[in-house]
Amino acid sequence: MKLPNLEILDEKDKRLRQKSVEVTFPLSQEDKDLIQDMLLYLKMSQIEEEREKYDLRAGTGLSAVQLGSLKRFFVVVDEEKEGKFRNYVVINPKIQSVSEEMIYVGEGEGCLSVNRETEGIVPRHARMTVEAQDLDGKTYMIRVREEISIIFQHEMDHLDGVLFVDHIDPKNPFKNSQNMREI
């Protein structure tokens, strides 16, 4: 596999704080190519041999804005079992419903655009239903839960110019953790 040439923006880049715009269809070839490169990059970052070869940080989600494109789409690559990946392409997502139950990642969330240690919890909904469009512009509904729900919320935040660190209370980084379930 050849590593796609993607430049992931650092959190200091002001573009990450801008709101992304809706994507129109049909997708441009440039957007289609970017989506394929994003999927391949994430897959390679999760394969230990490739990660070490290219000195990558493992990632499961990536939004277009992290690559400097202010468009409302993101991808998620989930290694469901050793060597078997499920790809999600999510264009123009809209939240339809969320669970009342809140969860957080015990070891803390990470982000390919945040290149520093962070401490604290990010409250997320345990389940959510999202309406989105696929590569052909066809609308679909998807219900996600647990880790995938967290990743979707993280990436959707990017589309609105929000980073996960914005959700961490600087005075009390573990605030209300007793009211949520750790995963």
Side-chain angles (χ1 to χ4, degrees), residues 87-115:
N87 294 342
Y88 300 85
V89 175
V90 186
I91 303 171
N92 297 328
K94 293 178 179 63
I95 297 172
Q96 298 302 304
S97 65
V98 294
S99 65
E100 286 185 25
E101 181 187 13
M102 301 300 287
I103 58 177
Y104 67 92
V105 179
E107 69 266 9
E109 281 188 34
C111 179
L112 294 173
S113 291
V114 178
N115 298 301

Side-chain angles (χ1 to χ4, degrees), residues 141-166:
M141 296 284 261
I142 183 168
R143 179 107 171 122
V144 290
R145 47 183 311 157
E146 304 294 318
E147 291 90 351
I148 302 300
S149 178
I150 288 173
I151 297 164
F152 268 54
Q153 290 167 77
H154 178 110
E155 298 307 328
M156 288 176 77
D157 275 352
H158 274 302
L159 302 182
D160 291 324
V162 176
L163 297 177
F164 81 94
V165 293
D166 300 340

